[in-house]
Amino acid sequence: NQYAPQVFHVDEDHPLTMGLGGIMASGWHSTAIFMRLAVDAYLGDAAVLTSPGVDALQWLAPVRAGDVISGEATVEHARLSASKPDRGIVTTGVVLWNQQGIEVLKMTTHVFVRVRPNH
């Protein structure tokens, strides 16, 4: 595969893949699943500008073909930007789990959002 070239992501017969229990999605693919869920659930209609990044990204368990992934994002902190008064910074704790309730991903995200001008 062009984007996940490691054998345990693409070669089901490789000894390493078999030793790990079969083909698994790339952790980056799992992170992209979060992004799709987040845009559909709340980011698509939000006043999001950009993101400066994530912290504490952890891939906790393999995501495999056929898994159903769910998740939760909890706002942990929100503040006005000290240097740009037209925006705020929202910090969110994220967790994703599979259909068995096993956590597969955790991270903390940060986004810049537009704020309403003071009246």
Side-chain angles (χ1 to χ4, degrees), residues 18-76:
M18 291 189 285
L20 293 170
I23 287 182
M24 64 183 80
S26 159
W28 295 111
H29 187 105
S30 300
T31 308
I33 290 169
F34 155 74
M35 195 66 209
R36 173 84 267 164
L37 292 171
V39 168
D40 289 349
Y42 64 95
L43 287 176
D45 293 327
V48 172
L49 297 167
T50 62
S51 171
V54 302
D55 294 327
L57 173 58
Q58 298 176 294
W59 297 305
L60 303 169
V63 173
R64 303 197 189 272
D67 280 353
V68 176
I69 304 300
S70 301
E72 181 175 84
T74 304
V75 173
E76 296 179 344

Side-chain angles (χ1 to χ4, degrees), residues 93-114:
V94 172
V95 62
L96 297 183
W97 56 85
N98 66 17
Q99 70 281 358
Q100 297 171 321
I102 297 169
E103 291 184 355
V104 298
L105 179 147
K106 277 188 175 181
M107 68 178 159
T108 303
T109 66
H110 308 281
V111 296
F112 295 119
V113 295
R114 280 195 272 297

Side-chain angles (χ1 to χ4, degrees), residues 73-92:
T74 304
V75 173
E76 296 179 344
H77 187 72
R79 68 176 177 85
L80 291 174
S81 170
S83 61
K84 299 189 184 221
D86 68 331
R87 64 194 65 187
I89 303 166
V90 177
T91 300
T92 306

